[in-house]
Amino acid sequence: LVIYFQNVKSYNAGMLTALSNRIGDVALLLAIAWMLNYGSWNYIFYLDMMKNNIEMMIIGGLVMLAAMTKSAQIPFSSWLPAAMAAPTPVSALVHSSTLVTAGVYLLIRFNDVLMNWSMAQFLLLVSGLTMFMAGLGANFEFDLKKIIALSTLSQLGLMMSILSMGFYKLAFFHLLTHALFKALLFMCARSIIHNMKNSQDIRMMGSLSMSMPLTCSCFNVANLALCGMPFLAGFYSKDLILEMVMLSYVNVFSFFLFFFSTG
């Protein structure tokens, strides 16, 4: 679907997406094959007993590598904005709330192995840097869909970083709320792009609140939910995450990454 439009940019984006995700697929298949040591794949039943084994640590490392490629963390974060060459309904469903949250969900399931192992601190650093980099890079972007994709990347970094601190229920809650308003953002962006005669450049857009009032109203509501406006859906998850960061034992660098990226 990334190479749906036949041009060189879409082909390059599809190749980058395929080759980046290949690493995560290989790690996932290796973890599945290594789980044959335990005789079944129902790992949720024996995870708390087997989580000190070296095999389960290797499986946890492979799962973390797979989740970092699937959820586009540093150093695999370049494919998510490039995959915005796809048609926008695909971006709205797949690249905002479905495909890229598979890695976060995998780590939610394996959170015991992750917490028992020292790689959680590495994941906290990497996902915090991803969150910071995506939020910083979205300020200098002109493509409307790429801005929303970088916002998705920033929220994924937030989910991964709060997950690596052990609050997996908060990560799941933020995953659900973010999926809803991010899909709404993509739908409003598609309406704007369609009415702009398929131009995605935000420098060409202006006074849309006069010509498209309903789309801009929905866009503003979703945008405020993304920013964490009180009494909207994004506020409850993001504010709870930041409160738990303030109540936890993190150093000043992680603290700065969390709060500066959220701002």
Side-chain angles (χ1 to χ4, degrees):
L1 283 166
V2 177
I3 57 170
Y4 179 78
F5 300 117
Q6 276 99 22
N7 54 35
V8 176
K9 188 187 168 205
S10 294
Y11 290 156
N12 289 336
M15 198 58 157
L16 178 63
T17 306
L19 292 181
S20 300
N21 277 294
R22 184 67 62 214
I23 304 171
D25 293 338
V26 165
L28 204 55
L29 287 172
L30 278 174
I32 287 171
W34 225 310
M35 259 190 203
L36 285 171
N37 290 328
Y38 295 110
S40 96
W41 287 302
N42 296 323
Y43 61 91
I44 209 82
F45 295 140
Y46 50 79
L47 198 59
D48 50 350
M49 189 168 62
M50 297 291 189
K51 62 187 178 182
N52 292 315
N53 289 5
I54 185 69
E55 292 92 2
M56 198 46 105
M57 286 186 181
I58 291 171
I59 288 171
L62 288 170
V63 164
M64 201 186 85
L65 178 63
M68 278 173 62
T69 52
K70 289 296 174 190
S71 291
Q73 304 297 302
I74 290 176
F76 310 110
S77 54
S78 58
W79 68 266
L80 185 58
M84 287 298 118
T88 313
V90 178
S91 312
L93 289 172
V94 172
H95 294 116
S96 73
S97 43
T98 314
L99 173 84
V100 291
T101 51
V104 180
Y105 186 72
L106 205 58
L107 284 186
I108 287 171
R109 285 295 192 185
F110 276 89
N111 67 315
D112 284 341
V113 182
L114 193 69
M115 282 298 108
N116 205 344
W117 201 36
S118 60
M119 288 304 275
Q121 297 161 349
F122 171 71
L123 187 65
L124 176 64
L125 172 69
V126 163
S127 50
L129 285 175
T130 307
M131 176 167 58
F132 180 65
M133 175 200 74
L136 201 61
N139 290 315
F140 304 105
E141 195 60 63
F142 291 128
D143 191 341
L144 179 60
K145 285 172 66 180
K146 246 174 209 180
I147 293 172
I148 305 181
L150 285 169
S151 147
T152 303
L153 195 53
S154 175
Q155 303 298 312
L156 283 171
L158 179 65
M159 290 174 216
M160 292 282 249
S161 49
I162 196 66
L163 180 59
S164 62
M165 287 167 62
F167 302 105
Y168 63 98
K169 292 180 181 174
L170 288 185
F172 189 59
F173 180 40
H174 190 59
L175 189 149
L176 294 179
T177 54
H178 167 259
L180 293 173
F181 58 72
K182 188 53 65 70
L184 179 59
L185 269 178
F186 265 113
M187 282 293 134
C188 295
R190 181 57 209 164
S191 178
I192 291 170
I193 289 169
H194 180 67
N195 284 320
M196 291 291 299
K197 222 163 182 182
N198 297 327
S199 162
Q200 297 186 9
D201 201 337
I202 58 169
R203 293 171 293 184
M204 309 293 176
M205 300 171 189
S207 59
L208 288 170
S209 57
M210 303 296 290
S211 54
M212 305 172 66
L214 180 64
T215 303
C216 282
S217 305
C218 296
F219 200 81
N220 275 330
V221 168
N223 217 345
L224 286 173
L226 177 63
C227 294
M229 171 91 181
F231 307 111
L232 291 178
F235 169 73
Y236 294 105
S237 54
K238 285 182 88 165
D239 192 71
L240 199 55
I241 285 173
L242 290 180
E243 188 179 353
M244 283 303 155
V245 170
M246 282 193 284
L247 289 176
S248 299
Y249 181 71
V250 289
N251 53 7
V252 75
F253 182 63
S254 301
F255 195 84
F256 164 77
L257 279 182
F258 267 102
F259 281 84
F260 197 81
S261 308
T262 305

